Amino acid sequence: MLKTKIEEIKKQVLEEITKVGNSDALFDLEKKYLGRKSEFVGFLKNLKNLAPEERKQIGELANKTKLEILDIINGKKADLSKTGSNAEKEKIDVTISGKKRGVGHLNPISIVRRDIEDIFTGMGFEIADGPEIETEFYNFDALNMPADHPARDIQDTFWLKNKKGKESLAMRSQTSAVQAKYMEKHKPPLRIIVPGKCFRREATDTTHDHTFYQFEALVVGENINVGHLKQVAEDFFSQFFGQEIKVRLRPSYFPFTEPSFEFDISCTVCGGKGCRACKYNKWLELGGAGMVNQNVFEAVGYKRNQYTGFAWGFGLERLAMMKYKIDDCRLFHSGDLRFIRQF
Amino acid sequence: MRYSFGWLQELSGTKLSPEKAAELLTMHSFEIEGLEKNNNNFDGVVVGEILEITKHPNADKLQIAIVETHCNASVQKLQIVCGAPNIAVGQKVPVALVGTTLPGDFTIKEAEIRGVKSFGMLCAEDELGLGKDHAGILILDKKAKVGELAAKYLGGTDDSVLEIKVLPDRAHDILSHVGVARELAVLEKRKFSAQGGSASGGAYAFDELILPTKKNQKLKVEIKDKDLCRRYIGAVMENIVIKESPQWLKDRLEICGLRPINNVVDATNYVMLELGQPLHAFDRDLIQDANKKCQIVVRGAVKDEKMTLLDGTEIELSENNLLITNGKTPLALAGIMGGKESGINENTKTIVLEAASFDAVNIRRTRTALGLNTDSSYRFEKDLDPNLTEKAMVRIIDILEHIADGNVEGIVDIYPKKISSWTVKLDLEYANQLLGEKVPEKEILNILSLLGIKVQKKKLLECQIPTYRLDLRTQEDLIEDIGRVWGYEKIAPRPMVAEVLPAKLNEQVFFERKMQDVLTGLGFDEMYNYSFYSADDLRKTGLSASDHLQLANPMNPDQEFVRAYMVPNILKNVRENLKNFSCISIFEIGKCYLLKNSEPIEECNLILAKVLEKDSNLETFYGLKGTMEDLLEALNIKNVQFLEIEKPGTILNPGRTAKISVGGKVVGFIGEVNQAVLASYKISKRLAVAEINLEVLRLLRQGSGGPKKNILEYKPINKFPVVSRDISMIVPKEIKYAEIVALAKKNGGELIDNILLFDRFEAKNSMAIRIEMSAKDRTLEGAEIDAAMEKIVSSLKDDLRVEVRK
C-alpha cells in the first residue's frame, strides 16, 4: 500500500511540474514534496515502524523516488533559467576572442637551461657561475693549457685590449674556467653544473655562432670513475628527452681531462636504429667529456691523485635545436619576436 | 690530414676494408672525418679492344667504334658512338657499360646519337674523375686484358682516402702514415713492423732505419743554439738527376693533397707524409762558399736581418727567429720554409739534405709572428721526436738512390743531448679504479706491448715509453691508451655513491628566474643579445669609449666594444621588430662590463623596453613604470622611490627620466629614450627603457636574508572599517605628486592607510587624490576624520601652495 502511495506522489510531481512557470512556483513545489514537513518525508520518518523485511523494501523505493523527484525539479530549474526573461538579451558571441593582456615568452635557451638546472638540482648538483671575462690564467693556464700550448689553437679566443694589472683578459672560451675557481674555494666531494655564455672567435653559420651557451658538469670525489660519468649522463639525458638514452664515449683530447672523450648519445628520433636525423649513424655527437686531469687538481691546490673526477661540457643551443627542431642557431641571438613568440 | 689507405695497408699489413678500418679508428683512436672511395667510381668500367672504326653517316666529328669486351660474363661486341679523334683499331680503352654511373652522377644509357645506336661510352680522363683532360679517350696499356675492370690499369687510383681529425696531443706521431699504420696494427692486436713497399725503394722495418756513419769532409754542421735546435742531420748526395717523379710517388702525394714538383722535392714531402718528419733539400752549389767549402750553421737571427723565402716573400727577422745559414747568409727559416736562393732547381747536381729537430714553441711563435703556416711548421710546432730525424734521413736517401740516381757522399749528425725513452709508473689498481671497470691484467700487458711499451713488473708497472710517443708522460696518459684500445664501450654505467645532500641553491639564478616569470606574466618577451656593440653605437648613444672594454680581435667592426650597457643592442631589437610589430614589450637579463680605473667591473643587469601601439603623450613612460612597480611588488621589494635625475646622461629624455631607489639605494633608472637617439636608430615611436642592477637589487629584496635580514612579516588584517575622503586640487607646476603624498602622510599620521591618485587633468595642473584612513583599535568617528582631513588640507595649502577645490 505504501508502495502505491509513493508512486502516486511521483506521478503528482510530474503532473504539477508542467504547470510551473517561474522559479517561485518551483520553490513552492519543492517545499511541498521534499520539504521537512512534506508527506514524503513523513513516510521516511515512519519507516522504523515497519517490519524489517518491508522496511528495507520500502526504504529503498522511497530513497530512489526522492532522488528521482529531485532530478525532475533540478531539470525544471535549468529549463527555467534558459527560457528566463533575460536570456535573449544576455546572449553573446562566445567565439569572439577574449581580451588578452598578452603574455611574454622566454628565449628557448632559457627554457632548456631551466630544464637542465632542474634535473641536476634534483640530483644534488649546485649551480655555479663565474664572470664572462676571464684572466688568461683561469681561461687557459689553470686548465692545463699554458702559453704556447697547441690546444689553444682549437679555441680561437676573443682577447681584450684591456688588461687586469699585468694579466691578459679574454672573453671566456668555455665554462670550464669556473671549474678551477670553484675548486679553489671548495673541497671535494663536490657536484656542480655551470651553465653560461661563452665566446669563440669563429665564423658563424647555421650550427656555429661566436657567442654560445655552454653547460658544464663537474663531479669530484674519492673514487669517481668513467662508469659514473656514463651513468649520470644517461640519467640526465633520459630525463631531459623523456626517453631512454644511451651514452657512447669515443677517444678525444682536451688539456683539462685525461682520459678525454667525445660524447655521443643514442639518436633521440630513432632510438639508435638509424634515421635521417642521425644521418643513419645511430648516434648524435654532443660534446666533450673526460676525467679531470690531475694537473688541474694540482693547480687548484688539491694533492695529486687524492681525488678523481669527471667533467663534461656541451652547447645548450644544440639541445634546444634538437628539442624544437630549430635549424639555425643564429636565431637565438636574432632578437626576432617572430621567433621568440613561438616558445 | 688526408691519408692514402693503400699506403696504410702497405705499411700496416691490414686486411680490413677502408670502412672497417675507419670505424675501428673512430671508436678507439680518433675521429675519421671523411672516407673517399675512389674505386667505387669504376665499377662497370671495363677494358675493351677497338675492332673496327667507321665514320658516322650523319655527323662529321663522330665515329662509330665496334669494341670487344666482356659483359655479363660473355664476350660481346658493342657498337659505341664516339667523338674523340684519338682512337684507332687495336687500342685498349676504358669502356663504361650501360648502367654504369660515372663521377658527377652521370649514368650511361642505351642511346641513339644522330640516328645511330650506341651501347656504352669510351671514357676520357676527366669522365673518370682522374684529371681534367678531355682531349681524347684514355688509352690503356696494350697488355690490359679485355673484360677486366679498367681500374686495374689506371695507376694508383683505386686507392681510398681517409681524412683524420688529428688530436693535438697525437700530432707528433699521427701526422704520418706510419703513425696511423701503427695505430691500426695495435687495434687489430697485431705486432707492428712497417713494410715499406717495393715501389718506394727497398722494403724496410721502422725500427731498422738506422743511420750509417759516413764521415764527410765536404760538409760541416754547427748548432749555435742547442735549445732551439736539438739535432741536425745533414747528408750530401751527389750525381742527382732532377726529373719528374715516378707515377706511384706522384699519386700518393696527390691523394694526400700535395702537388708534385720534382723528384727531390717530392721525396722530401713523401717521407714527411710517411714518417711525419719534415725534411729540406738545398742545392749544394748554391750554398757553398768561394772556396767550395760547405757548412751549415744553425743560429738565431740578428736584429734587422732579412731573407727571401721560397715563395718570394721577403721577411724581416728578429732575434727570436732561428735560421739555417751557411755561416753567413740565411738559407732557410728553420722548420718553416726554405730560402729562395738555396733551393733545388732543374740544374741541381749535388744536394744537402736536412733532417732536424727544432723547439716546438719557438717554431710556433715565429710562424705566428710572421703569419706563415706550412706543412713543415704545422708538424714542428706540435713537437717531434728528435730520433725520427734519423729514420727520415735513411728513408729519403734510399728513395733518392732509386728515383734520382743519387749516391750518398757523407752524413753529419749533430745531436748534443740524446733523447732516450723514459719510464712511467703505472698502478694497475688505480687504472681499474679510474676506468671503473676491471681490465684483466693480461689484457693490459698485451696492450702496452702492442703500443711498443716495454714493461717491468715491480710493485707498480714500470713502463718504458718509446720516444715516438711524446704524449705518454703520466699514468693517466697510459690509462687512457689502455681504456681506449680495450674499448670504452666495455665500461658499464655505474650509479654514484654519494651522501644525500640538498643542492645549495644559487640565489642569483633563482632570483633571475623569478624575474623572468613575472616579466613574461606581464607580457614581456625575452631577448638574448651579443655582448658586443660598435663604435657607431657609441656615437649614436653618446656613450664614452673610455668606459668600455675593447676587443683586440673582433669578428667585425660592428662588435668591437664589450657592452657596458644593455641599451644599444635593445635599441636595435626595437628597430628591427618594429618592422613586424606595432607594439613591443621586451626584456633581457645579462652581464655588462664597465671599465673603472682601468679594471673591468662586472654587473648583472636587467633591461626593460616598451613601445606602445599609440601614445598621445605619457602612456609609454607610465606604462613601463607600472610594469616596474608590478615587478618590484612581485619580488617583495619595498621602499621603492622614483626620483628625478639631475644629469640623465646622453640616451634619455631629461624631462622623462627617473632613478629607481630602494631603501635609499639607487638600483637603476627608467626613462624615455630621447628624440635624437631614437632618430639615429630610425625609431619613430616613443620608447621607454629601464635598466636595473640585479645583484644590488637581490640583496635589497625583502626575505632575501641579505645584510639586513629583512624577513617578510605578516601584518594582521584590520577589523575596523576603512573610510575614504577625496581631495581635488590645482597644483603649482613645480610641485611633485610625491611631495603631496609625503606631506599628507606626515600630517595624517597613523590613520593613513593609503593615498592614491584617481584623476588628473594635466593641462590645468589639476589632481584628485583619495585618502584611505582607519585605526587598528576602533571605528573612526566623523569628527576625528574631519580633523585629520583639515590638517592635511591646510598643510597642502600653506606648505605647497596647493589650491584645494571644494
Side-chain angles (χ1 to χ4, degrees):
Chain A
M1 199 207 48
L2 269 171
K3 199 173 153 195
T4 40
K5 188 84 189 168
I6 289 170
E7 277 159 2
E8 188 67 20
I9 291 173
K10 184 178 161 190
K11 231 163 103 186
Q12 277 175 22
V13 172
L14 280 172
E15 213 178 280
E16 283 181 33
I17 206 153
T18 54
K19 292 169 201 151
V20 168
N22 58 51
S23 51
D24 286 349
L26 188 66
F27 180 78
D28 291 342
L29 184 95
E30 187 176 350
K31 199 171 157 191
K32 179 173 167 196
Y33 288 100
L34 295 177
R36 255 189 304 155
K37 288 177 182 163
S38 66
E39 200 179 359
F40 200 90
V41 173
F43 290 148
L44 293 172
K45 276 183 187 160
N46 289 327
L47 274 178
K48 59 179 190 281
N49 302 332
L50 298 173
E53 192 64 13
E54 204 183 359
R55 190 195 307 164
K56 192 180 168 215
Q57 212 184 2
I58 298 297
E60 272 174 17
L61 179 73
N63 265 320
K64 180 166 157 274
T65 310
K66 186 182 164 191
L67 292 176
E68 280 169 0
I69 293 171
L70 202 60
D71 277 352
I72 293 164
I73 291 170
N74 283 340
K76 186 74 184 180
K77 266 186 199 160
D79 285 351
L80 281 179
S81 70
K82 234 185 277 170
T83 54
S85 49
N86 285 332
E88 262 324 298
K89 269 194 233 158
E90 289 291 309
K91 194 172 169 64
I92 57 167
D93 181 353
V94 295
T95 64
I96 288 172
S97 39
K99 284 274 175 216
K100 283 173 71 174
R101 281 200 56 173
V103 67
H105 305 262
L106 288 180
N107 191 296
I109 298 276
S110 290
I111 301 172
V112 167
R113 181 177 161 159
R114 287 172 170 216
D115 289 349
I116 293 172
E117 288 172 349
D118 288 346
I119 296 170
F120 276 99
T121 305
M123 293 199 279
F125 282 63
E126 186 184 335
I127 304 167
D129 197 10
E132 286 162 12
I133 289 180
E134 271 297 353
T135 59
E136 183 172 14
F137 176 80
Y138 282 109
N139 199 56
F140 290 115
D141 300 55
L143 297 170
N144 201 29
M145 266 188 280
D148 300 308
H149 194 290
R152 285 198 182 188
D153 271 359
I154 314 175
Q155 301 179 359
D156 236 330
T157 308
F158 282 115
W159 293 98
L160 294 167
K161 284 188 178 168
N162 319 77
K163 287 182 186 276
K164 186 178 180 183
K166 283 182 181 170
E167 274 200 278
S168 293
L169 292 171
M171 304 302 295
R172 70 172 172 197
S173 51
Q174 77 266 314
T175 45
S176 308
V178 180
Q179 274 190 22
K181 287 194 158 167
Y182 187 89
M183 286 193 284
E184 279 177 347
K185 292 197 186 105
H186 299 81
K187 286 272 164 268
L190 50 92
R191 278 175 277 179
I192 59 168
I193 56 164
V194 188
K197 201 173 190 177
C198 299
F199 310 84
R200 282 184 204 172
R201 195 183 183 284
E202 48 183 35
T204 60
D205 59 32
T206 55
T207 53
H208 297 89
D209 201 341
H210 60 70
T211 298
F212 59 98
Y213 292 81
Q214 215 178 35
F215 146 61
E216 172 119 357
L218 172 73
V219 174
V220 181
E222 277 183 354
N223 279 304
I224 301 299
N225 62 46
V226 181
H228 297 143
L229 160 62
K230 275 193 170 179
Q231 176 89 48
V232 172
E234 285 187 359
D235 287 348
F236 162 70
F237 285 109
S238 298
Q239 180 135 2
F240 182 85
F241 287 108
Q243 67 190 74
E244 201 192 325
I245 298 285
K246 292 273 167 234
V247 163
R248 182 175 84 165
L249 303 178
R250 287 183 287 113
S252 190
Y253 171 76
F254 305 103
F256 31 93
T257 50
E258 189 74 36
S260 302
F261 313 111
E262 286 300 323
F263 185 107
D264 302 337
I265 61 169
S266 51
C267 178
T268 52
V269 176
C270 64
K273 288 184 202 77
C275 69
R276 276 174 59 187
C278 59
K279 296 182 187 131
Y280 299 93
N281 193 23
K282 301 173 190 170
W283 298 92
L284 299 169
E285 207 177 315
L286 219 61
M291 304 307 292
V292 181
N293 195 308
Q294 292 295 331
N295 292 345
V296 173
F297 285 149
E298 273 192 324
V300 299
Y302 297 172
K303 237 177 85 185
R304 198 174 183 92
N305 289 1
Q306 185 176 5
Y307 301 110
T308 53
F310 69 76
W312 80 55
F314 50 79
L316 279 184
E317 281 89 343
R318 184 80 205 281
L319 290 188
M321 289 170 86
M322 283 162 74
K323 189 165 176 177
Y324 299 112
K325 301 193 167 56
I326 295 167
D327 57 5
D328 188 342
C329 72
R330 290 167 297 192
L331 284 166
F332 297 117
H333 282 103
S334 66
D336 192 334
L337 287 171
R338 292 171 300 176
F339 173 71
I340 301 295
R341 286 186 179 170
Q342 293 184 32
F343 298 93
Chain B
M1 177 179 156
R2 290 163 63 87
Y3 296 76
S4 147
F5 190 69
W7 201 346
L8 295 174
Q9 275 176 317
E10 181 183 294
L11 289 167
S12 75
T14 183
K15 300 273 189 295
L16 295 175
S17 67
E19 291 87 352
K20 276 276 168 222
E23 195 189 319
L24 199 62
L25 288 168
T26 295
M27 289 314 297
H28 296 277
S29 303
F30 28 70
E31 204 171 316
I32 306 298
E33 287 182 308
L35 171 61
E36 288 171 29
K37 286 199 70 183
N38 286 342
N39 53 356
N40 255 5
N41 305 332
F42 300 133
D43 289 346
V45 181
V46 295
V47 178
E49 183 175 350
I50 301 178
L51 300 179
E52 214 183 301
I53 298 175
T54 50
K55 290 214 68 136
H56 194 290
N58 306 324
D60 288 347
K61 288 186 178 168
L62 295 179
Q63 306 184 77
I64 303 162
I66 304 295
V67 182
E68 181 183 298
T69 186
H70 293 191
C71 185
N72 301 327
S74 65
V75 178
Q76 291 213 350
K77 289 178 186 171
L78 301 173
Q79 173 175 298
I80 295 173
V81 175
C82 173
N86 69 326
I87 51 170
V89 172
Q91 281 173 343
K92 305 274 176 65
V93 290
V95 181
L97 300 171
V98 170
T100 304
T101 301
L102 293 176
D105 232 8
F106 170 55
T107 303
I108 307 294
K109 293 185 188 123
E110 259 186 51
E112 201 174 289
I113 299 165
R114 301 246 187 141
V116 177
K117 287 209 166 175
S118 181
F119 302 88
M121 186 175 92
L122 307 186
C123 304
E125 196 176 84
D126 65 333
E127 285 156 343
L128 293 174
L130 294 175
K132 288 185 181 138
D133 191 0
H134 190 65
I137 301 303
L138 242 173
I139 309 299
L140 301 173
D141 195 288
K142 275 181 189 154
K143 291 175 209 148
K145 276 194 183 159
V146 169
E148 280 193 327
L149 284 177
K152 235 180 129 175
Y153 303 95
L154 293 170
T157 46
D158 59 342
D159 204 354
S160 300
V161 181
L162 288 186
E163 202 156 331
I164 296 179
K165 187 176 172 186
V166 177
L167 300 170
D169 66 329
R170 292 294 302 277
H172 62 273
D173 77 312
I174 293 305
L175 285 174
S176 72
H177 280 74
V178 158
V180 177
R182 187 188 290 122
E183 192 68 27
L184 261 176
V186 170
L187 300 184
E188 290 182 72
K189 308 275 161 75
R190 288 187 293 108
K191 195 98 193 115
F192 175 71
S193 54
Q195 296 296 313
S198 52
S200 54
Y204 77 97
F206 181 77
D207 289 339
E208 285 156 24
L209 294 172
I210 294 163
L211 200 66
T213 41
K214 199 164 189 185
K215 285 274 181 221
N216 178 277
Q217 301 307 318
K218 291 180 189 162
L219 178 68
K220 269 178 68 180
V221 174
E222 188 188 351
I223 302 176
K224 296 255 195 209
D225 191 330
K226 295 183 176 61
D227 290 328
L228 297 187
C229 177
R230 292 176 297 183
R231 189 178 191 179
Y232 196 102
I233 306 176
V236 179
M237 284 188 93
E238 294 186 330
N239 303 317
I240 292 283
V241 181
I242 300 292
K243 53 188 174 189
E244 205 180 318
S245 294
Q247 193 62 42
W248 60 263
L249 201 161
K250 287 199 287 184
D251 283 346
R252 284 190 171 169
L253 292 187
E254 279 178 338
I255 215 164
C256 296
L258 294 185
R259 194 166 51 88
I261 294 164
N262 60 47
N263 53 354
V264 172
V265 173
D266 292 353
T268 60
N269 284 330
Y270 184 87
V271 174
M272 176 181 75
L273 292 174
E274 185 170 86
L275 293 171
Q277 170 71 45
L279 297 169
H280 193 69
F282 301 102
D283 184 327
R284 203 267 316 266
D285 298 340
L286 298 178
I287 66 174
Q288 63 192 359
D289 63 14
N291 305 324
K292 305 239 165 179
K293 284 230 160 150
C294 184
Q295 64 164 349
I296 297 279
V297 178
V298 186
R299 62 158 170 87
V302 292
K303 212 172 168 234
D304 297 331
E305 199 168 0
K306 283 180 188 163
M307 76 173 289
T308 307
L309 297 173
L310 207 58
D311 64 359
T313 47
E314 197 185 347
I315 51 169
E316 262 182 58
L317 301 160
S318 78
E319 285 118 322
N320 302 323
N321 307 141
L322 189 71
L323 291 177
I324 311 300
T325 70
N326 61 1
K328 288 182 190 135
T329 51
L331 306 176
L333 184 59
I336 299 173
M337 206 188 277
K340 200 182 180 193
E341 311 300 331
S342 59
I344 304 299
N345 59 65
E346 63 234 46
N347 303 317
T348 300
K349 295 277 182 301
T350 307
I351 60 172
V352 175
L353 289 167
E354 165 195 298
S357 174
F358 302 110
D359 178 67
V361 170
N362 182 259
I363 297 283
R364 185 184 159 86
R365 285 184 184 160
T366 300
R367 77 123 184 109
T368 318
L370 295 171
L372 298 166
N373 201 351
T374 63
D375 286 322
S376 173
S377 67
Y378 180 58
R379 287 171 171 79
F380 277 124
E381 73 173 287
K382 278 152 183 133
D383 212 1
L384 287 172
D385 172 16
N387 296 320
L388 199 56
T389 50
E390 174 173 350
K391 301 187 182 299
M393 185 57 92
V394 178
R395 190 73 181 120
I396 192 166
I397 288 170
D398 185 36
I399 292 173
L400 287 179
E401 280 171 352
H402 281 79
I403 68 164
D405 312 327
N407 56 285
V408 186
E409 197 39 54
I411 300 170
V412 182
D413 179 8
I414 308 291
Y415 193 5
K417 223 193 271 170
K418 189 174 159 49
I419 306 290
S420 43
S421 70
W422 55 92
T423 303
V424 176
K425 288 183 184 163
L426 174 65
D427 181 347
L428 281 181
E429 210 173 298
Y430 175 62
N432 289 329
Q433 188 259 303
L434 190 63
L435 291 173
E437 204 72 46
K438 193 164 166 45
V439 187
E441 190 178 330
K442 226 178 88 185
E443 285 263 14
I444 292 182
L445 293 173
N446 186 38
I447 289 167
L448 292 174
S449 149
L450 288 166
L451 289 168
I453 297 167
K454 295 198 181 78
V455 176
Q456 266 200 311
K457 214 181 147 191
K458 296 190 177 166
K459 194 174 161 216
L460 301 173
L461 291 191
E462 296 196 353
C463 303
Q464 217 188 325
I465 311 297
T467 57
Y468 59 74
R469 284 301 301 276
L470 296 174
D471 60 314
L472 299 180
R473 296 286 172 182
T474 66
Q475 60 173 340
E476 286 81 11
D477 296 328
L478 287 175
I479 294 168
E480 176 173 65
D481 267 26
I482 292 165
R484 67 179 178 84
V485 175
W486 185 61
Y488 290 143
E489 73 282 359
K490 294 186 188 131
I491 299 174
R494 224 166 265 281
M496 233 165 64
V497 179
E499 205 174 337
V500 177
L501 288 171
K504 199 178 142 216
L505 225 54
N506 183 322
E507 288 190 25
Q508 183 68 23
V509 167
F510 285 89
F511 184 62
E512 287 173 21
R513 270 203 196 191
K514 172 93 182 174
M515 189 97 49
Q516 288 172 321
D517 288 339
V518 174
L519 285 169
T520 48
L522 291 170
F524 279 67
D525 293 311
E526 189 182 28
M527 296 284 111
Y528 272 42
N529 278 304
Y530 294 128
S531 299
F532 313 113
Y533 42 69
S534 65
D536 189 45
D537 287 315
L538 296 186
R539 206 161 31 247
K540 285 175 176 166
T541 54
L543 293 172
S544 150
S546 61
D547 290 344
H548 285 77
L549 288 120
Q550 206 176 341
L551 289 182
N553 56 342
M555 287 291 290
N556 54 59
D558 287 350
Q559 300 178 335
E560 194 182 344
F561 292 92
V562 181
R563 70 176 174 196
Y565 303 93
M566 310 279 269
V567 178
N569 286 334
I570 286 287
L571 285 167
K572 285 177 264 185
N573 293 147
V574 168
R575 178 188 62 206
E576 291 309 308
N577 279 308
L578 277 174
K579 292 173 184 165
N580 300 306
F581 299 93
S582 55
C583 55
I584 293 169
S585 299
I586 53 177
F587 76 101
E588 185 180 359
I589 294 172
K591 286 182 176 162
C592 290
Y593 288 86
L594 269 167
L595 194 59
K596 275 185 190 154
N597 305 323
S598 63
E599 292 263 316
I601 307 290
E602 183 180 84
E603 283 180 356
C604 183
N605 289 349
L606 162 74
I607 186 161
L608 300 177
K610 193 172 187 72
V611 174
L612 290 177
E613 175 110 43
K614 268 189 202 140
D615 180 347
S616 54
N617 181 17
L618 308 163
E619 290 88 342
T620 306
F621 178 88
Y622 288 122
L624 191 68
K625 185 179 171 189
T627 300
M628 184 58 78
E629 288 168 325
D630 281 341
L631 174 67
L632 296 174
E633 181 182 333
L635 294 167
N636 285 324
I637 290 166
K638 303 279 162 69
N639 300 322
V640 179
Q641 281 178 297
F642 293 77
L643 305 166
E644 278 198 333
I645 305 186
E646 305 217 331
K647 290 181 192 161
T650 49
I651 297 176
L652 299 175
N653 179 340
R656 297 183 173 208
T657 297
K659 58 186 175 189
I660 304 167
S661 122
V662 175
K665 195 167 174 119
V666 175
V667 297
F669 62 82
I670 182 168
E672 271 188 33
V673 176
N674 72 42
Q675 286 305 314
V677 173
L678 288 178
S680 70
Y681 281 92
K682 298 196 166 57
I683 297 169
S684 55
K685 288 184 147 186
R686 283 185 185 271
L687 165 66
V689 296
E691 198 165 328
I692 280 191
N693 182 318
L694 287 190
E695 264 158 314
V696 174
L697 187 68
R698 177 169 63 82
L699 296 174
L700 293 167
R701 180 186 182 187
Q702 193 155 40
S704 71
K708 287 180 189 160
K709 298 233 181 266
N710 47 354
I711 304 299
L712 185 132
E713 210 175 290
Y714 153 80
K715 289 190 188 85
I717 296 162
N718 197 343
K719 292 192 206 92
F720 298 96
V722 176
V723 289
S724 54
R725 290 279 196 278
D726 297 347
I727 306 175
S728 183
M729 55 198 152
I730 306 288
V731 180
K733 218 174 159 60
E734 69 279 8
I735 300 298
K736 300 271 168 268
Y737 173 66
E739 296 174 70
I740 294 170
V741 171
L743 192 68
K745 277 190 175 164
K746 188 179 145 205
N747 286 293
E750 282 191 326
L751 298 185
I752 298 209
D753 286 333
N754 196 15
I755 298 174
L756 51 105
L757 180 73
F758 72 93
D759 196 17
R760 182 171 181 231
F761 187 42
E762 201 199 358
K764 291 197 168 166
N765 290 328
S766 97
M767 279 185 193
I769 62 172
R770 176 160 298 159
I771 300 178
E772 294 175 349
M773 289 183 281
S774 70
K776 292 187 182 66
D777 54 355
R778 64 192 191 280
T779 300
L780 290 178
E781 283 174 24
E784 211 176 349
I785 297 163
D786 291 343
M789 284 304 291
E790 182 49 43
K791 202 175 164 196
I792 292 169
V793 167
S794 58
S795 70
L796 288 176
K797 282 180 182 163
D798 298 347
D799 297 356
L800 299 178
R801 284 172 291 112
V802 165
E803 183 188 324
V804 175
R805 300 195 294 190
K806 295 289 167 189

